[in-house]
Amino acid sequence: MKRTLRHLLVPALLLALSVPAAQAASGSVEGDAAVALLQDLIRFETVNAPGDTTKLAAYLESLFKPLGVETEIILSPNGKAAHFIARLKGDGSLEPVLLAAHTDVVPVEREFWTVDPFAATIQDGFVYGRGALDNKSAVAVFARAVMRLARERVKLKRDIIFLAEADEEQGRFNTGWLAQNHWDKIKAAVALNEGGSTMLDPDGKVRQINISVADKQTLNLKLTARGKAAHSSLAVPPLETANGQLIAALGKIAFAETPIRLTPPAVTYFKGLARLNPGPLSGAVDRLLAAGDDAARLVAAKEVLEAHPKEAPTLSALMRDTMVVTMINAGVKPNIIPGEAEAIMNARLMPGVDVYQFVEQVKALIDNQAIAVEIVNSRPKEEQAEFFRQRSAIQPSSIETDLFGALEKQAKRVWPGAQVLPMMLQASTDAGAWRARGVPVYGIRPFPTDPDTSSRVHGHDERVAVKSIHEGVDYVYGVLKQVAAR
């Protein structure tokens, strides 16, 4: 059941205004407030498309304004993608630090959920709902940490900018559009975004925290096959039909083995992983990094995956470009051989890969000139080439910053014994808006998640642990105090 803005606003606003500074020091009070905020955020149905975040942005503004925080909502030309910005002012002796998290979410297949995906149900210690993990939990944690600093009137040496982004889930008016048109509003020295992981072991301990310093590139391709339309009773040769041609092409893509290529952030990550896991994994990593040719790298890569099976899909993606068929569309009736069939392939490419060269490689792999291969992009075609050029040139973020140091120090305070590993994210985020301009961005998941919970991103029964949200608010608050407080 949908709730009105007034129903959402009253409890959260009263909580924001009524918590005294002394009481706010209690992690449990701040954690409870963040959980309540997360529930409110989930109840805004911000599925993209259309990605309407206008009401959610207005709601966030209603929480920040009474605290005396400077706020602004930037509405995109489509009238739906609304970016909310809150700026907590410092004395300007240092350049700002920015926290960004997106408020739009992917669609749901309701029939596969065991709870209402927009009811924000708490069950067995977890908050369930679309966006519970990706990425409204980070919105709630970041927002509450900044609101606490505002409420406590902490004196700052730099501005803290909180950005609740729109259109991250493959929309046109995301942070790339925001940076192009309103860079002065989000310009910072360093930034936090999504992308890493704080890994919860079965014994309830956090021993490994991954912080991403680079992303892979996202590329969507549409493959269109055309053939002879006919009655389904006819024995038309498969490669004369659209479906037959497309099936043959998709089979080649599905079983293609792309070369092993290790970027500097991936090398750093694998070395750190080997230190944390002495034994078979450590030896396999040593052989992988020492391999001198493609064949040796392929053998060593398989040894790494066999030695660390629970992380094998992620580790494999860190070693190579990936291609996955995500959508297939063909046919109008069971007794008709269709004249056209199409599929969408999602590729995740290593930093520096030339998109257009990759497209030619896909065409060569398919080896059928009758199949059209087209780049599917949310940007106008006249902007496409420049966008891909800039994105492929983005360099990894340096870890020699005060923000990265604070992330390490505060992580060890909240989760004693945890090791922080910089890494390349196997997916992609909207951090490129800052990295392309030379601003270091660190992708974090500011709270622990177990493997089952992590696997539900973009899936069914998405969730996040209540206890994890409590820890996340403490973590981010500590990081901000370390890098911004006078």
Side-chain angles (χ1 to χ4, degrees), residues 163-366:
L163 168 63
E165 315 161 2
D167 246 10
E168 191 272 347
E169 297 290 0
Q170 308 258 309
R172 178 179 174 185
F173 298 106
N174 54 25
T175 56
W177 173 86
L178 188 64
Q180 186 175 2
N181 294 278
H182 302 280
W183 176 241
D184 60 312
K185 308 289 186 182
I186 58 172
K187 182 180 179 182
V190 285
L192 294 179
N193 205 316
E194 65 175 334
S197 58
T198 301
M199 304 171 70
L200 189 64
D201 286 351
D203 62 2
K205 298 289 186 181
V206 174
R207 294 183 174 84
Q208 181 178 335
I209 299 173
N210 298 334
I211 297 179
S212 62
V213 296
D215 291 358
K216 293 179 83 172
Q217 305 179 69
T218 295
L219 176 66
N220 293 315
L221 298 180
K222 181 168 75 171
L223 283 62
T224 305
R226 294 179 177 85
K228 183 182 295 184
H231 195 287
S232 61
S233 65
L234 299 177
V236 180
L239 292 183
E240 292 183 14
T241 69
N243 281 353
Q245 292 181 68
L246 187 63
I247 289 169
L250 298 186
K252 293 177 180 179
I253 289 171
F255 294 99
E257 199 165 57
T258 52
I260 301 297
R261 294 196 310 110
L262 298 179
T263 63
V267 170
T268 300
Y269 179 71
F270 278 112
K271 287 180 177 178
L273 199 63
R275 288 195 302 271
L276 289 174
N277 297 273
L281 177 60
S282 179
V285 168
D286 288 344
R287 288 187 289 276
L288 173 65
L289 300 182
D293 54 52
D294 289 346
R297 276 189 287 271
L298 188 59
V299 170
K302 290 179 178 178
E303 292 178 358
V304 169
L305 302 183
E306 290 169 356
H308 207 47
K310 67 178 182 179
E311 294 294 321
T314 298
L315 298 182
S316 180
L318 292 178
M319 300 179 190
R320 49 164 47 101
D321 300 323
T322 61
M323 302 181 291
V324 178
V325 177
T326 55
M327 301 172 69
I328 301 174
N329 182 38
V332 293
K333 204 171 183 180
N335 61 349
I336 298 175
I337 297 175
E340 184 172 292
E342 65 180 34
I344 300 294
M345 186 198 81
N346 178 262
R348 303 296 172 119
L349 310 179
M350 292 291 192
V353 169
D354 183 286
V355 165
Y356 297 100
Q357 289 182 7
F358 180 80
V359 171
E360 293 305 313
Q361 292 169 7
V362 172
K363 290 179 179 178
L365 172 65
I366 293 171

Side-chain angles (χ1 to χ4, degrees), residues 18-169:
S18 64
V19 180
Q23 187 184 8
S26 162
S28 115
V29 170
E30 286 298 320
D32 288 343
V35 170
L37 177 55
L38 171 58
Q39 288 180 284
D40 287 347
L41 297 176
I42 289 171
R43 289 167 185 147
F44 289 97
E45 296 189 24
T46 55
V47 171
N48 199 340
D52 190 339
T53 57
T54 53
K55 292 180 180 178
L56 189 152
Y59 172 58
L60 286 173
E61 186 171 55
S62 72
L63 299 181
F64 276 90
K65 268 198 167 181
L67 299 173
V69 180
E70 180 182 298
T71 65
E72 184 175 5
I73 294 175
I74 298 177
L75 187 62
S76 71
N78 70 0
K80 298 184 184 300
H83 298 268
F84 169 74
I85 301 173
R87 182 182 289 263
L88 197 57
K89 300 291 288 184
D91 65 16
S93 56
L94 290 178
E95 291 185 273
V97 59
L98 178 138
L99 301 85
H102 66 87
T103 56
D104 61 322
V105 298
V106 296
V108 298
E109 296 174 302
R110 287 178 182 261
E111 65 272 24
F112 297 110
W113 284 65
T114 62
V115 296
D116 182 339
F118 298 104
T121 303
I122 294 183
Q123 184 173 291
D124 300 325
F126 291 89
V127 182
Y128 284 81
R130 177 57 86 217
L133 197 55
D134 184 22
N135 190 33
K136 289 180 176 178
S137 46
V139 176
V141 166
F142 287 172
R144 288 303 309 183
V146 176
M147 290 166 68
R148 180 178 173 185
L149 290 171
R151 198 171 51 250
E152 294 176 350
R153 301 187 182 279
V154 175
K155 295 187 181 298
L156 303 173
K157 56 190 175 183
R158 66 200 319 165
D159 289 2
I160 296 176
I161 306 169
F162 167 66
L163 168 63
E165 315 161 2
D167 246 10
E168 191 272 347
E169 297 290 0

